[in-house]
């Protein structure tokens, strides 16, 4: 039986994503009513600049007083797409206190204060959904916390930032340098005027914290995620990657230790074989590769940003939360029962590609190999090229801990025959 009283929705933010949410709510109103079992009504839109023309939105709904809007008491769902920590955090908790469930796209806030927000939602018997916080339109959060709830997830590895993937793909396909590729990304609207959050890995790190927490039933905060940006990646690194049959991607990697006693979460550039599914992810697209005990290997792929893709994820959550409201129920909340420790980056084991500038004379390779052996790092392959008294030495290791590799590099820098360390890059996906 169709409920006739509409469910009222408050929209916080009406930028690129918020305006698309409002548009879809209007143009797809009949479909949403049929899918939810009740009409949904946009009851208010909180913005910072009320004088801006917003096509399709009744000006009477627009307000600058977001606090008053979430305190109204007749609001069923608050959709938060303003981003940042404050005032978003206070507005969300206030919404719970006044009887509303919340749909959010706020990755930074969830990565920093997800546990407190979940606790507030539970205290008031309300929903907190955030599919749009990670990987845009790609259905990922709900499959991880619902579809795979009966499985054991061991590893999540993915490209979760479209800006960085566009830049690295352009460097790979055209031979462009980092700055040239960044300039093109900016001109096309893929990169912000200040791209720091993307290229230094802050955006991906927030998403990694959310993914790790859900996958491993453990609270993982942004501070727990190792982060390394991609601004130092060069055309020479791509040339070396191609010689290995690899490409380079900025990856978010969340994994359970082999003994199952701890987890790690990290973001950094890495070489991956061209045979790996993530290697073929081009342009500004996102993709996440999941490995679990029962389901095996799964890959989720699609547009990871933009107004319409992100709004699609928001609307999917809105439908689910509205259904819960009608049924007087709530969906899954935080699952942190495992409470596994988050290991430091030094414990992470992987392969490495190291490029050294060395003197071109006898005995150099033997000296370098000795240093690797003394630190317990096994060498897989070595390639040396020399000319006019200078040479480059490229070493690819077997799997070793980050701590062991760090010690190796520090010792190499002390050798008189080593002029410098040109680059160090992890090798993943093998």
């Amino acid at each position: 039986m169709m409920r006739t009283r509409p469910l009222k929705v408050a929209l916080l933010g009406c930028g690129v994503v918020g305006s698309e949410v409002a548009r879809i709510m209007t143009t797809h109103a009949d479909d949403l009513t049929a899918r939810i079992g009740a009409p949904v009504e946009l009851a208010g839109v909180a913005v910072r600049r009320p004088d801006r023309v917003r096509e399709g939105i009744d000006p009477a709904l627009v307000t600058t007083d977001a606090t008053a809007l979430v305190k109204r008491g007749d609001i069923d769902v608050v959709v938060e797409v303003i981003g940042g920590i404050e005032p978003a955090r206070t507005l969300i908790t206030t919404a719970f206190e006044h009887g509303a469930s919340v749909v959010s796209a706020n990755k930074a806030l969830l990565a920093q204060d997800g546990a407190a927000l979940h606790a507030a939602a539970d205290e008031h018997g309300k929903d907190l959904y955030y599919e749009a916080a990670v990987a845009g339109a790609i259905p990922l959060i709900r499959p991880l916390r619902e579809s795979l709830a009966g499985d054991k997830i061991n590893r999540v590895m993915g490209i979760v930032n479209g800006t960085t993937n566009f830049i690295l793909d352009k460097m790979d396909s055209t031979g462009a340098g980092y700055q040239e590729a960044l300039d093109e990304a900016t001109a096309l609207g893929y990169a912000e005027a200040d791209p720091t959050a993307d290229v230094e890995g802050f955006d991906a790190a927030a998403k990694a914290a959310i993914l790790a927490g859900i996958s491993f039933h453990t609270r993982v905060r942004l501070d727990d995620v190792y982060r390394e940006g991609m601004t130092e990646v060069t055309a020479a690194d791509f040339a070396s990657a191609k010689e290995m049959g690899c490409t380079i991607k900025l990856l978010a990697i969340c994994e359970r230790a082999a003994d199952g006693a701890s987890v790690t979460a990290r973001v950094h550039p890495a070489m991956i074989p061209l045979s790996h599914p993530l290697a073929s992810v081009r342009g500004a697209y996102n993709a996440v590769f999941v490995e679990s005990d029962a389901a095996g290997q799964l890959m989720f792929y699609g547009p990871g940003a933009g107004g319409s893709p992100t709004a699609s994820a928001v609307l999917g959550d809105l439908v689910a939360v509205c259904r819960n409201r009608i049924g007087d129920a709530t969906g899954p909340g935080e699952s942190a029962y495992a409470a596994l420790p988050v290991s430091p980056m030094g414990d992470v084991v992987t392969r490495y590609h190291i490029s050294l500038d060395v003197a071109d004379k006898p005995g150099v390779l033997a000296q370098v190999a000795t240093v690797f052996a003394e630190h317990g790092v096994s060498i897989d392959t070595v390639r040396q090229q020399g000319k006019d008294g200078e040479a480059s030495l490229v070493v690819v290791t077997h799997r070793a801990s980050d701590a062991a590799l760090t010690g190796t590099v520090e010792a190499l820098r002390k050798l008189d025959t080593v002029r410098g360390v040109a680059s160090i890059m992890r090798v993943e996906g093998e």
Side-chain angles (χ1 to χ4, degrees), residues 34 37 106 112 128 158 166 236 250 312 338 400:
N106 197 330
Q112 178 173 304
L128 173 62
F166 178 89
L250 184 75
S312 171

Side-chain angles (χ1 to χ4, degrees), residues 122-290:
D122 290 343
E123 178 185 353
H124 297 283
K126 297 297 178 283
D127 276 323
L128 173 62
Y129 275 49
Y130 43 91
E131 184 67 66
V134 180
I138 304 173
L140 184 59
I141 300 299
R142 194 171 290 119
L144 288 176
R145 72 176 186 175
E146 296 183 34
S147 303
L148 296 174
D151 206 344
K152 179 184 178 184
I153 297 173
N154 296 310
R155 196 169 200 242
V156 178
M157 180 170 75
I159 299 162
V160 294
N161 183 277
T163 299
T164 55
N165 199 59
F166 178 89
I167 293 170
L168 292 173
D169 182 41
K170 187 61 62 173
M171 293 175 70
D172 184 29
S173 61
T174 69
Y178 165 76
Q179 189 60 51
E180 183 182 352
L182 172 60
D183 290 344
E184 182 172 351
T186 304
L188 292 172
Y190 292 126
E192 301 286 346
D194 179 1
T196 302
D198 295 323
V199 301
E200 293 295 351
F202 291 101
D203 176 83
K207 296 170 181 176
I210 296 170
L211 292 174
I214 295 171
S215 300
F216 307 132
H217 304 278
T218 292
R219 286 179 178 170
V220 180
R221 288 172 50 94
L222 181 58
D223 292 344
D224 296 321
V225 181
Y226 172 83
R227 177 193 55 79
E228 184 181 318
M230 49 152 283
T231 57
E232 301 301 318
V233 177
T234 66
D237 291 326
F238 274 100
S240 294
K242 288 181 179 179
E243 290 178 356
M244 291 178 58
C246 293
T247 189
I248 299 172
K249 299 292 186 181
L250 184 75
L251 298 178
I253 303 172
C254 314
E255 56 190 348
R256 191 188 301 267
D259 63 3
S262 64
V263 299
T264 58
R266 49 196 166 102
V267 169
H268 54 71
M271 294 182 180
I272 58 172
L274 294 175
S275 58
H276 194 282
L278 291 177
S280 61
V281 178
R282 313 302 296 268
Y285 275 71
N286 283 194
V288 177
F289 198 73
V290 178

